[in-house]
Protein backbone atom coordinates (compact mmCIF):
# COMPACT_ATOMS: atom_id res chain seq x y z
CA UNK A 1 0.00 0.00 0.00
CA UNK A 2 1.52 3.33 -1.01
CA UNK A 3 -0.30 5.45 1.56
CA UNK A 4 -2.17 4.74 4.76
CA UNK A 5 -5.62 6.28 5.11
CA UNK A 6 -6.45 7.88 8.45
CA UNK A 7 -8.60 5.44 10.44
CA UNK A 8 -10.92 8.17 11.72
CA UNK A 9 -11.60 9.18 8.11
CA UNK A 10 -12.37 5.58 7.23
CA UNK A 11 -14.92 5.44 10.04
CA UNK A 12 -16.72 8.46 8.56
CA UNK A 13 -16.56 6.97 5.07
CA UNK A 14 -18.00 3.64 6.09
CA UNK A 15 -20.26 4.36 9.06
CA UNK A 16 -23.33 4.68 6.84
CA UNK A 17 -22.27 2.21 4.15
CA UNK A 18 -24.82 -0.27 2.85
CA UNK A 19 -22.99 -1.54 -0.25
CA UNK A 20 -21.30 -4.59 1.22
CA UNK A 21 -17.87 -2.98 1.74
CA UNK A 22 -16.56 -3.08 5.29
CA UNK A 23 -13.51 -1.30 6.72
CA UNK A 24 -10.59 -3.34 7.94
CA UNK A 25 -10.09 -3.11 11.69
CA UNK A 26 -6.80 -1.57 12.94
CA UNK A 27 -5.17 -4.93 13.72
CA UNK A 28 -6.16 -6.27 10.31
CA UNK A 29 -4.71 -3.20 8.65
CA UNK A 30 -1.47 -3.49 10.59
CA UNK A 31 -1.02 -7.17 9.72
CA UNK A 32 -1.89 -6.75 6.04
CA UNK A 33 0.31 -3.69 5.63
CA UNK A 34 3.16 -5.60 7.26
CA UNK A 35 2.54 -8.46 4.86
CA UNK A 36 2.68 -6.17 1.82
CA UNK A 37 6.39 -5.74 2.57
CA UNK A 38 6.76 -9.46 1.82
CA UNK A 39 3.58 -10.22 -0.10
CA UNK A 40 4.99 -13.49 -1.44
CA UNK A 41 5.80 -14.83 2.03
CA UNK A 42 3.96 -17.12 4.43
CA UNK A 43 4.45 -14.82 7.42
CA UNK A 44 0.68 -14.59 7.96
CA UNK A 45 -0.14 -18.31 7.62
CA UNK A 46 -1.57 -20.14 10.63
CA UNK A 47 -1.23 -23.75 9.52
CA UNK A 48 -1.15 -27.23 11.00
CA UNK A 49 -1.25 -30.78 9.70
CA UNK A 50 -3.16 -33.49 11.60
CA UNK A 51 -2.91 -37.24 11.27
CA UNK A 52 -6.21 -38.73 12.39
CA UNK A 53 -6.93 -42.09 13.92
CA UNK A 54 -7.89 -44.73 11.36
CA UNK A 55 -11.39 -44.88 12.88
CA UNK A 56 -12.21 -41.33 11.79
CA UNK A 57 -14.65 -41.14 8.88
CA UNK A 58 -13.20 -38.50 6.56
CA UNK A 59 -16.40 -38.07 4.54
CA UNK A 60 -18.27 -37.36 7.75
CA UNK A 61 -15.50 -34.99 8.80
CA UNK A 62 -15.73 -33.17 5.47
CA UNK A 63 -19.45 -32.56 6.05
CA UNK A 64 -18.75 -31.28 9.59
CA UNK A 65 -16.14 -28.88 8.19
CA UNK A 66 -18.41 -27.64 5.40
CA UNK A 67 -21.32 -27.07 7.77
CA UNK A 68 -19.08 -25.11 10.15
CA UNK A 69 -17.60 -23.01 7.35
CA UNK A 70 -21.08 -22.22 6.01
CA UNK A 71 -22.17 -20.84 9.39
CA UNK A 72 -19.62 -17.98 9.57
CA UNK A 73 -19.19 -15.01 7.27
CA UNK A 74 -15.39 -14.88 7.76
CA UNK A 75 -15.03 -17.86 5.43
CA UNK A 76 -16.63 -15.77 2.68
CA UNK A 77 -14.34 -12.83 3.40
CA UNK A 78 -12.39 -11.33 0.51
CA UNK A 79 -9.99 -8.38 0.46
CA UNK A 80 -10.96 -5.87 -2.21
CA UNK A 81 -10.35 -2.24 -3.13
CA UNK A 82 -13.36 0.03 -2.67
CA UNK A 83 -14.68 1.13 -6.05
CA UNK A 84 -15.11 4.75 -4.97
CA UNK A 85 -12.33 5.47 -2.48
CA UNK A 86 -9.73 2.83 -3.51
CA UNK A 87 -9.35 1.94 0.18
CA UNK A 88 -8.49 -1.66 0.90
CA UNK A 89 -11.51 -3.16 2.62
CA UNK A 90 -13.35 -6.46 2.98
CA UNK A 91 -16.51 -8.08 1.68
CA UNK A 92 -18.30 -11.10 3.09
CA UNK A 93 -19.98 -12.48 -0.01
CA UNK A 94 -17.32 -14.71 -1.57
CA UNK A 95 -17.99 -18.18 -2.93
CA UNK A 96 -17.13 -21.19 -0.76
CA UNK A 97 -15.60 -24.29 -2.32
CA UNK A 98 -16.68 -27.40 -0.37
CA UNK A 99 -13.97 -29.52 1.23
CA UNK A 100 -13.66 -33.00 -0.26
CA UNK A 101 -11.55 -36.06 0.56
CA UNK A 102 -8.53 -36.56 -1.70
CA UNK A 103 -7.40 -40.17 -2.04
CA UNK A 104 -3.75 -40.20 -3.09
CA UNK A 105 -0.66 -42.36 -2.84
CA UNK A 106 1.91 -41.96 -0.08
CA UNK A 107 4.46 -40.74 -2.62
CA UNK A 108 2.11 -38.04 -3.94
CA UNK A 109 1.25 -37.03 -0.39
CA UNK A 110 4.93 -36.47 0.42
CA UNK A 111 5.10 -34.09 -2.52
CA UNK A 112 1.91 -32.30 -1.45
CA UNK A 113 3.19 -31.81 2.11
CA UNK A 114 6.13 -29.77 0.86
CA UNK A 115 3.77 -27.37 -0.90
CA UNK A 116 0.91 -27.08 1.56
CA UNK A 117 2.20 -23.90 3.16
CA UNK A 118 2.27 -21.21 0.51
CA UNK A 119 1.50 -17.49 0.30
CA UNK A 120 -2.06 -16.24 0.06
CA UNK A 121 -3.20 -14.18 -2.89
CA UNK A 122 -4.28 -11.08 -1.00
CA UNK A 123 -6.89 -9.60 -3.33
CA UNK A 124 -10.31 -11.15 -4.01
CA UNK A 125 -9.27 -14.68 -3.04
CA UNK A 126 -10.22 -17.14 -0.27
CA UNK A 127 -8.27 -16.54 2.93
CA UNK A 128 -8.18 -20.07 4.33
CA UNK A 129 -7.27 -23.52 3.05
CA UNK A 130 -8.57 -26.88 4.29
CA UNK A 131 -7.64 -30.22 2.74
CA UNK A 132 -8.44 -33.81 3.72
CA UNK A 133 -6.21 -36.65 2.49
CA UNK A 134 -6.62 -40.39 2.62
CA UNK A 135 -3.46 -42.36 1.84
CA UNK A 136 -2.50 -46.02 2.27
CA UNK A 137 -0.60 -45.04 5.44
CA UNK A 138 -3.21 -42.83 7.12
CA UNK A 139 -5.81 -40.09 7.17
CA UNK A 140 -4.75 -36.45 7.29
CA UNK A 141 -6.22 -32.96 7.54
CA UNK A 142 -4.45 -29.70 6.71
CA UNK A 143 -5.84 -26.42 8.05
CA UNK A 144 -4.40 -23.02 7.19
CA UNK A 145 -5.93 -19.61 7.98
CA UNK A 146 -4.79 -16.11 7.01
CA UNK A 147 -3.82 -14.38 10.24
CA UNK A 148 -5.30 -11.00 9.35
CA UNK A 149 -8.69 -12.69 9.24
CA UNK A 150 -8.39 -15.43 11.89
CA UNK A 151 -6.52 -15.66 15.18
CA UNK A 152 -5.43 -18.69 17.18
CA UNK A 153 -8.51 -18.68 19.42
CA UNK A 154 -10.83 -18.64 16.41
CA UNK A 155 -9.05 -21.53 14.71
CA UNK A 156 -7.83 -23.76 17.56
CA UNK A 157 -10.81 -23.27 19.88
CA UNK A 158 -13.95 -22.05 18.10
CA UNK A 159 -13.55 -23.71 14.71
CA UNK A 160 -12.01 -26.92 16.05
CA UNK A 161 -14.63 -27.42 18.77
CA UNK A 162 -17.61 -26.69 16.57
CA UNK A 163 -16.25 -28.94 13.81
CA UNK A 164 -15.85 -31.73 16.38
CA UNK A 165 -19.37 -31.21 17.74
CA UNK A 166 -20.85 -31.42 14.27
CA UNK A 167 -18.79 -34.54 13.53
CA UNK A 168 -20.19 -36.19 16.66
CA UNK A 169 -23.72 -35.28 15.61
CA UNK A 170 -24.33 -32.75 18.36
CA UNK A 171 -26.75 -29.93 17.63
CA UNK A 172 -25.33 -26.40 17.60
CA UNK A 173 -27.71 -24.55 19.88
CA UNK A 174 -26.48 -20.99 19.44
CA UNK A 175 -26.68 -18.85 16.35
CA UNK A 176 -23.32 -17.94 14.83
CA UNK A 177 -22.22 -14.35 15.43
CA UNK A 178 -21.07 -12.59 12.29
CA UNK A 179 -17.90 -10.53 11.96
CA UNK A 180 -19.48 -7.97 9.64
CA UNK A 181 -22.03 -7.08 12.34
CA UNK A 182 -19.25 -6.70 14.90
CA UNK A 183 -17.39 -4.29 12.60
CA UNK A 184 -20.44 -2.06 12.19
CA UNK A 185 -21.05 -2.04 15.93
CA UNK A 186 -17.41 -1.13 16.57
CA UNK A 187 -17.72 1.93 14.33
CA UNK A 188 -20.19 3.47 16.78
CA UNK A 189 -17.57 5.50 18.60
CA UNK A 190 -17.65 9.17 19.51
CA UNK A 191 -15.04 11.66 18.24
CA UNK A 192 -14.26 12.51 21.86
CA UNK A 193 -13.44 8.90 22.70
CA UNK A 194 -11.23 8.61 19.62
CA UNK A 195 -9.37 11.82 20.47
CA UNK A 196 -8.75 10.74 24.06
CA UNK A 197 -7.41 7.40 22.88
CA UNK A 198 -5.19 8.99 20.27
CA UNK A 199 -3.64 11.21 22.95
CA UNK A 200 -3.12 8.21 25.23
CA UNK A 201 -1.30 6.16 22.58
CA UNK A 202 0.87 9.06 21.45
CA UNK A 203 2.03 9.56 25.02
CA UNK A 204 2.64 5.82 25.45
CA UNK A 205 4.90 5.55 22.40
CA UNK A 206 6.64 8.94 22.54
CA UNK A 207 10.38 8.72 22.02
CA UNK A 208 10.59 5.21 20.62
CA UNK A 209 14.02 4.52 19.14
CA UNK A 210 15.16 1.19 17.68
CA UNK A 211 18.62 1.82 19.17
CA UNK A 212 17.18 2.23 22.68
CA UNK A 213 14.12 0.02 22.80
CA UNK A 214 15.28 -3.16 21.10
CA UNK A 215 18.16 -5.47 21.95
CA UNK A 216 21.23 -4.13 20.11
CA UNK A 217 21.55 -5.54 16.60
CA UNK A 218 24.73 -7.45 15.83
CA UNK A 219 24.11 -7.91 12.09
CA UNK A 220 23.44 -5.56 9.19
CA UNK A 221 22.27 -7.80 6.40
CA UNK A 222 19.90 -5.39 4.68
CA UNK A 223 19.98 -7.36 1.44
CA UNK A 224 18.32 -10.25 3.23
CA UNK A 225 15.93 -8.23 5.41
CA UNK A 226 12.99 -9.94 7.10
CA UNK A 227 14.74 -13.30 7.18
CA UNK A 228 12.86 -15.46 9.70
CA UNK A 229 14.48 -17.48 12.44
CA UNK A 230 13.44 -18.93 15.80
CA UNK A 231 15.15 -19.65 19.10
CA UNK A 232 13.64 -21.91 21.77
CA UNK A 233 14.85 -21.51 25.34
CA UNK A 234 13.54 -23.23 28.46
CA UNK A 235 13.62 -20.99 31.52
CA UNK A 236 15.67 -22.48 34.33
CA UNK A 237 14.69 -20.03 37.04
CA UNK A 238 10.92 -20.37 37.28
CA UNK A 239 8.09 -22.91 37.30
CA UNK A 240 4.37 -22.38 37.83
CA UNK A 241 4.82 -23.22 41.52
CA UNK A 242 6.07 -19.65 41.89
CA UNK A 243 2.57 -18.34 41.19
CA UNK A 244 0.67 -20.86 43.31
CA UNK A 245 0.60 -18.67 46.44
CA UNK A 246 0.62 -15.26 44.74
CA UNK A 247 -1.98 -12.97 43.23
CA UNK A 248 0.46 -12.13 40.45
CA UNK A 249 -0.69 -13.11 36.98
CA UNK A 250 1.78 -14.98 34.81
CA UNK A 251 1.43 -12.74 31.78
CA UNK A 252 2.00 -9.58 33.86
CA UNK A 253 5.14 -11.03 35.45
CA UNK A 254 6.64 -12.15 32.13
CA UNK A 255 5.70 -8.93 30.32
CA UNK A 256 7.49 -6.96 33.04
CA UNK A 257 10.51 -9.27 32.76
CA UNK A 258 10.56 -8.73 28.98
CA UNK A 259 10.55 -4.95 29.42
CA UNK A 260 13.43 -5.14 31.87
CA UNK A 261 15.39 -7.54 29.65
CA UNK A 262 15.18 -5.18 26.66
CA UNK A 263 16.15 -2.15 28.76
CA UNK A 264 19.10 -4.03 30.29
CA UNK A 265 20.24 -5.37 26.91
CA UNK A 266 20.13 -1.89 25.38
CA UNK A 267 21.68 -0.24 28.45
CA UNK A 268 18.88 2.30 28.86
CA UNK A 269 16.41 3.26 31.58
CA UNK A 270 13.20 3.07 29.60
CA UNK A 271 11.21 0.47 27.75
CA UNK A 272 8.68 0.77 24.91
CA UNK A 273 7.22 -2.38 23.39
CA UNK A 274 3.91 -4.06 22.55
CA UNK A 275 1.87 -6.83 24.10
CA UNK A 276 -0.81 -9.04 22.62
CA UNK A 277 -4.30 -9.20 24.10
CA UNK A 278 -6.80 -11.82 22.95
CA UNK A 279 -9.31 -9.03 22.29
CA UNK A 280 -12.30 -10.97 23.55
CA UNK A 281 -13.65 -8.94 26.43
CA UNK A 282 -17.10 -10.47 26.89
CA UNK A 283 -19.11 -13.62 26.20
CA UNK A 284 -20.33 -12.38 22.83
CA UNK A 285 -16.83 -11.57 21.59
CA UNK A 286 -15.57 -14.94 22.78
CA UNK A 287 -17.90 -16.55 20.24
CA UNK A 288 -16.78 -14.50 17.23
CA UNK A 289 -15.06 -16.36 14.40
CA UNK A 290 -12.43 -13.97 13.11
CA UNK A 291 -9.42 -12.04 14.33
CA UNK A 292 -9.98 -10.31 17.65
CA UNK A 293 -6.35 -9.98 18.75
CA UNK A 294 -5.15 -6.52 19.68
CA UNK A 295 -1.58 -5.28 19.91
CA UNK A 296 -1.20 -2.65 22.61
CA UNK A 297 1.85 -0.43 23.14
CA UNK A 298 3.24 -0.24 26.68
CA UNK A 299 6.07 1.85 28.07
CA UNK A 300 7.90 2.54 31.32
CA UNK A 301 10.45 5.10 32.49
CA UNK A 302 12.90 3.53 34.93
CA UNK A 303 14.48 6.84 35.95
CA UNK A 304 12.32 6.74 39.07
CA UNK A 305 13.79 3.90 41.09
CA UNK A 306 11.05 1.66 42.46
CA UNK A 307 10.75 -1.87 43.76
CA UNK A 308 9.89 -4.90 41.66
CA UNK A 309 6.56 -5.03 43.48
CA UNK A 310 5.60 -1.48 42.51
CA UNK A 311 6.77 -2.06 38.94
CA UNK A 312 4.59 -5.15 38.62
CA UNK A 313 1.62 -3.23 40.05
CA UNK A 314 2.20 -0.46 37.53
CA UNK A 315 2.46 -2.80 34.56
CA UNK A 316 -0.76 -4.53 35.60
CA UNK A 317 -2.53 -1.18 35.91
CA UNK A 318 -1.50 -0.20 32.37
CA UNK A 319 -2.48 -3.60 30.95
CA UNK A 320 -5.92 -3.41 32.58
CA UNK A 321 -6.53 0.17 31.43
CA UNK A 322 -5.36 -0.08 27.81
CA UNK A 323 -8.44 -1.90 26.39
CA UNK A 324 -10.48 1.20 27.26
CA UNK A 325 -8.93 2.82 24.18
CA UNK A 326 -9.12 -0.18 21.86
CA UNK A 327 -11.09 1.77 19.28
CA UNK A 328 -8.32 4.34 18.99
CA UNK A 329 -5.68 1.81 17.99
CA UNK A 330 -6.16 2.99 14.41
CA UNK A 331 -3.86 5.92 15.14
CA UNK A 332 -1.15 3.49 16.29
CA UNK A 333 -1.39 1.77 12.92
CA UNK A 334 -1.74 4.90 10.80
CA UNK A 335 1.34 6.57 12.24
CA UNK A 336 3.46 3.45 12.62
CA UNK A 337 3.82 4.02 16.36
CA UNK A 338 4.71 0.38 17.06
CA UNK A 339 5.98 -0.83 13.70
CA UNK A 340 9.43 -1.77 15.03
CA UNK A 341 8.54 -2.52 18.65
CA UNK A 342 9.31 -5.87 20.20
CA UNK A 343 6.06 -7.74 20.83
CA UNK A 344 5.22 -9.86 23.89
CA UNK A 345 2.89 -12.86 23.73
CA UNK A 346 1.90 -15.24 26.54
CA UNK A 347 -0.04 -18.42 25.90
CA UNK A 348 -1.03 -21.64 27.55
CA UNK A 349 -0.13 -25.07 26.19
CA UNK A 350 2.88 -26.18 24.19
CA UNK A 351 1.42 -26.44 20.67
CA UNK A 352 3.80 -24.92 18.18
CA UNK A 353 6.97 -25.94 19.95
CA UNK A 354 6.87 -29.66 19.34
CA UNK A 355 4.76 -32.25 17.62
CA UNK A 356 2.06 -33.53 19.94
CA UNK A 357 -1.36 -35.08 20.07
CA UNK A 358 -4.79 -33.53 20.41
CA UNK A 359 -8.10 -35.18 21.11
CA UNK A 360 -10.67 -35.45 18.34
CA UNK A 361 -13.96 -37.32 18.75
CA UNK A 362 -12.52 -39.52 21.48
CA UNK A 363 -9.35 -40.39 19.55
CA UNK A 364 -5.80 -39.09 19.45
CA UNK A 365 -4.85 -37.02 16.43
CA UNK A 366 -1.17 -36.30 15.88
CA UNK A 367 -0.44 -32.63 15.30
CA UNK A 368 2.48 -31.51 13.18
CA UNK A 369 3.65 -27.91 13.31
CA UNK A 370 3.60 -26.98 9.63
CA UNK A 371 6.77 -24.89 10.15
CA UNK A 372 8.70 -28.14 9.79
CA UNK A 373 7.85 -27.78 6.09
CA UNK A 374 9.16 -24.20 5.88
CA UNK A 375 10.32 -23.21 2.43
CA UNK A 376 11.52 -20.25 0.39
CA UNK A 377 8.36 -18.32 1.28
CA UNK A 378 9.26 -17.97 4.96
CA UNK A 379 9.78 -14.44 6.33
CA UNK A 380 9.84 -12.69 9.71
CA UNK A 381 6.60 -10.97 10.68
CA UNK A 382 8.19 -8.62 13.23
CA UNK A 383 11.63 -7.49 14.32
CA UNK A 384 11.33 -9.49 17.54
CA UNK A 385 8.46 -11.49 19.04
CA UNK A 386 8.93 -12.62 22.64
CA UNK A 387 6.57 -15.58 23.05
CA UNK A 388 6.31 -17.32 26.41
CA UNK A 389 4.38 -20.55 26.78
CA UNK A 390 3.49 -22.54 29.88
CA UNK A 391 3.91 -26.30 29.52
CA UNK A 392 1.89 -29.18 30.94
CA UNK A 393 4.70 -30.11 33.34
CA UNK A 394 4.69 -26.68 34.99
CA UNK A 395 7.61 -25.14 33.13
CA UNK A 396 7.91 -22.19 30.79
CA UNK A 397 9.76 -21.86 27.55
CA UNK A 398 10.64 -18.82 25.53
CA UNK A 399 10.36 -18.68 21.77
CA UNK A 400 12.05 -15.75 20.08
CA UNK A 401 10.81 -15.16 16.53
CA UNK A 402 13.24 -12.67 15.09
CA UNK A 403 14.55 -10.96 11.99
CA UNK A 404 17.74 -12.91 11.30
CA UNK A 405 19.06 -10.11 9.09
CA UNK A 406 19.32 -8.04 12.28
CA UNK A 407 20.18 -10.60 14.97
CA UNK A 408 22.43 -13.63 15.12
CA UNK A 409 21.36 -16.75 16.97
CA UNK A 410 24.05 -16.04 19.55
CA UNK A 411 22.62 -12.56 20.21
CA UNK A 412 19.18 -14.03 20.80
CA UNK A 413 20.61 -16.68 23.10
CA UNK A 414 22.28 -13.96 25.18
CA UNK A 415 18.99 -12.07 25.37
CA UNK A 416 17.18 -15.22 26.56
CA UNK A 417 19.82 -15.83 29.23
CA UNK A 418 19.57 -12.20 30.37
CA UNK A 419 15.82 -12.56 30.72
CA UNK A 420 16.21 -15.79 32.70
CA UNK A 421 18.55 -14.06 35.18
CA UNK A 422 16.13 -11.13 35.52
CA UNK A 423 13.27 -13.53 36.24
CA UNK A 424 15.29 -14.98 39.12
CA UNK A 425 16.00 -11.52 40.52
CA UNK A 426 12.32 -10.59 40.28
CA UNK A 427 11.48 -13.35 42.76
CA UNK A 428 12.46 -10.80 45.41
CA UNK A 429 9.72 -8.20 44.95
CA UNK A 430 11.44 -5.87 47.42
CA UNK A 431 14.49 -5.60 45.17
CA UNK A 432 14.93 -2.22 43.51
CA UNK A 433 14.74 -2.01 39.74
CA UNK A 434 18.08 -0.17 39.62
CA UNK A 435 19.80 -3.25 41.09
CA UNK A 436 18.46 -5.34 38.21
CA UNK A 437 19.29 -2.90 35.43
CA UNK A 438 22.71 -1.88 36.72
CA UNK A 439 23.87 -5.22 38.09
CA UNK A 440 25.96 -7.75 36.21
Amino acid sequence: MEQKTNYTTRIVNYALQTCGFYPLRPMQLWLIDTHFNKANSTMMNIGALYKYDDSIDLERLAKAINDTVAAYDMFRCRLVFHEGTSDLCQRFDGEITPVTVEKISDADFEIRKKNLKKPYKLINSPLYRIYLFETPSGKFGYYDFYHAMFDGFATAILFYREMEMRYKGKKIMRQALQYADFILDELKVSPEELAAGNKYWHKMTAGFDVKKHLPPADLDNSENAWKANHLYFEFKNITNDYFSDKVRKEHIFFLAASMLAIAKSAGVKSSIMSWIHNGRNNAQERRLMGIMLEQYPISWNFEENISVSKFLDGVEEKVNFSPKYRRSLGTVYDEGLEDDCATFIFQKGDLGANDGTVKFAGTDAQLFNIDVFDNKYSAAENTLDIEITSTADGGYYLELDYDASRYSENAMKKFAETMDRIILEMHDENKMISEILEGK
Side-chain angles (χ1 to χ4, degrees):
M1 298 172 67
E2 295 182 359
Q3 185 175 3
K4 300 174 182 177
T5 305
N6 180 272
Y7 188 66
T8 304
T9 302
R10 282 195 296 274
I11 287 177
V12 174
N13 289 343
Y14 290 108
L16 300 177
Q17 66 80 35
T18 58
C19 301
F21 293 90
Y22 293 80
L24 291 158
R25 299 178 63 237
M27 188 62 173
Q28 292 179 293
L29 286 163
W30 187 86
L31 288 171
I32 293 169
D33 192 64
T34 299
H35 193 194
F36 271 123
N37 288 299
K38 286 283 185 178
N40 291 323
S41 78
T42 55
M43 63 165 62
M44 294 297 168
N45 292 56
I46 306 177
L49 177 68
Y50 294 81
K51 182 177 181 181
Y52 291 109
D53 186 84
D54 288 341
S55 65
I56 296 300
D57 183 338
L58 289 187
E59 295 293 347
R60 184 173 161 191
L61 177 56
K63 184 180 187 308
I65 291 170
N66 291 326
D67 288 346
T68 304
V69 166
Y72 294 93
D73 63 357
M74 278 306 290
F75 293 98
R76 296 182 179 84
C77 186
R78 303 291 186 269
L79 296 176
V80 295
F81 290 102
H82 192 280
E83 298 167 352
T85 66
S86 297
D87 283 339
L88 184 66
C89 53
Q90 54 195 324
R91 295 182 65 98
F92 297 91
D93 55 4
E95 294 292 326
I96 293 177
T97 301
V99 174
T100 60
V101 180
E102 300 181 47
K103 296 184 179 182
I104 60 177
S105 69
D106 287 327
D108 287 341
F109 183 53
E110 288 303 313
I111 295 173
R112 286 291 300 275
K113 279 198 298 187
K114 296 177 181 178
N115 297 287
L116 287 173
K117 186 177 181 180
K118 57 185 179 181
Y120 280 98
K121 291 178 62 177
L122 297 182
I123 305 301
N124 201 26
S125 296
L127 297 170
Y128 71 97
R129 300 186 184 103
I130 301 176
Y131 306 117
L132 295 178
F133 303 100
E134 185 171 355
T135 76
S137 62
K139 300 176 179 180
F140 300 86
Y142 176 68
Y143 304 83
D144 195 346
F145 304 86
Y146 188 57
H147 194 19
M149 301 296 138
F150 301 89
D151 56 27
F153 187 89
T155 59
I157 305 298
L158 297 179
F159 176 80
Y160 185 88
R161 287 180 178 174
E162 184 161 326
M163 175 185 73
E164 183 181 31
M165 288 179 66
R166 291 181 186 275
Y167 178 86
K168 293 192 293 187
K170 293 186 177 181
K171 187 176 181 180
I172 306 300
M173 302 301 295
R174 57 180 173 78
Q175 183 177 358
L177 299 173
Q178 302 304 320
Y179 202 73
D181 293 336
F182 173 75
I183 290 173
L184 293 182
D185 183 67
E186 195 173 47
L187 295 180
K188 299 172 184 176
V189 55
S190 70
E192 293 77 15
E193 181 183 341
L194 280 175
N198 293 347
K199 182 179 180 180
Y200 180 78
W201 297 125
H202 278 118
K203 182 177 179 180
M204 186 72 74
T205 56
F208 177 81
D209 186 333
V210 294
K211 294 181 179 179
K212 295 180 180 179
H213 301 118
L214 284 170
D218 64 332
L219 298 176
D220 184 14
N221 188 5
S222 56
E223 293 182 359
N224 201 16
W226 296 75
K227 181 181 178 183
N229 208 349
H230 315 272
L231 177 78
Y232 293 100
F233 181 91
E234 186 172 359
F235 287 128
K236 303 175 181 64
N237 292 323
I238 193 166
T239 65
N240 64 7
D241 289 341
Y242 175 76
F243 299 98
S244 61
D245 60 347
K246 294 180 174 60
V247 295
R248 295 294 180 201
K249 298 176 181 177
E250 294 163 294
H251 72 282
I252 298 295
F253 181 91
F254 287 114
L255 171 58
S258 301
M259 297 176 75
L260 285 170
I262 289 179
K264 188 175 181 69
S265 296
V268 299
K269 290 189 175 182
S270 65
S271 184
I272 302 175
M273 58 183 298
S274 298
W275 61 280
I276 297 294
H277 184 266
N278 67 22
R280 291 172 165 85
N281 298 309
N282 54 54
Q284 184 181 52
E285 292 178 358
R286 283 191 288 272
R287 291 161 52 192
L288 267 172
M289 181 72 73
I291 182 167
M292 297 296 291
L293 289 181
E294 304 288 3
Q295 185 164 313
Y296 291 104
I298 188 168
S299 63
W300 197 275
N301 186 341
F302 295 112
E303 292 292 344
E304 180 185 358
N305 191 22
I306 59 175
S307 67
V308 169
S309 177
K310 288 187 177 181
F311 176 49
L312 288 169
D313 289 342
V315 170
E316 183 168 10
E317 182 179 352
K318 288 191 176 188
V319 165
N320 290 339
F321 184 79
S322 289
K324 176 181 178 181
Y325 291 127
R326 178 175 77 176
R327 296 185 180 189
S328 293
L329 284 172
T331 195
V332 178
Y333 162 78
D334 287 333
E335 300 177 36
L337 300 181
E338 61 181 5
D339 281 358
D340 295 313
C341 286
T343 301
F344 171 82
I345 306 164
F346 179 81
Q347 55 192 359
K348 296 281 190 179
D350 56 4
L351 296 182
N354 302 290
D355 293 346
T357 58
V358 294
K359 292 292 183 182
F360 181 77
T363 68
D364 286 333
Q366 187 174 4
L367 170 63
F368 299 92
N369 185 339
I370 200 62
D371 284 343
V372 300
F373 307 119
D374 261 351
N375 50 37
K376 63 182 180 180
Y377 301 119
S378 179
E381 185 175 324
N382 295 311
T383 305
L384 175 63
D385 284 343
I386 302 170
E387 301 183 25
I388 296 176
T389 303
S390 64
T391 61
D393 61 2
Y396 298 93
Y397 70 81
L398 169 69
E399 178 184 357
L400 298 175
D401 293 324
Y402 62 95
D403 180 356
S405 67
R406 180 181 177 89
Y407 297 112
S408 68
E409 184 175 341
N410 188 54
M412 291 291 92
K413 184 178 179 182
K414 287 182 177 178
F415 177 80
E417 291 170 344
T418 295
M419 190 168 173
D420 202 18
R421 288 194 298 271
I422 287 174
I423 285 171
L424 179 61
E425 293 185 80
M426 288 175 63
H427 283 34
D428 179 4
E429 292 198 7
N430 292 318
K431 177 168 280 195
M432 304 302 286
I433 293 298
S434 62
E435 295 181 61
I436 296 176
L437 292 180
E438 296 169 10
K440 293 184 179 180

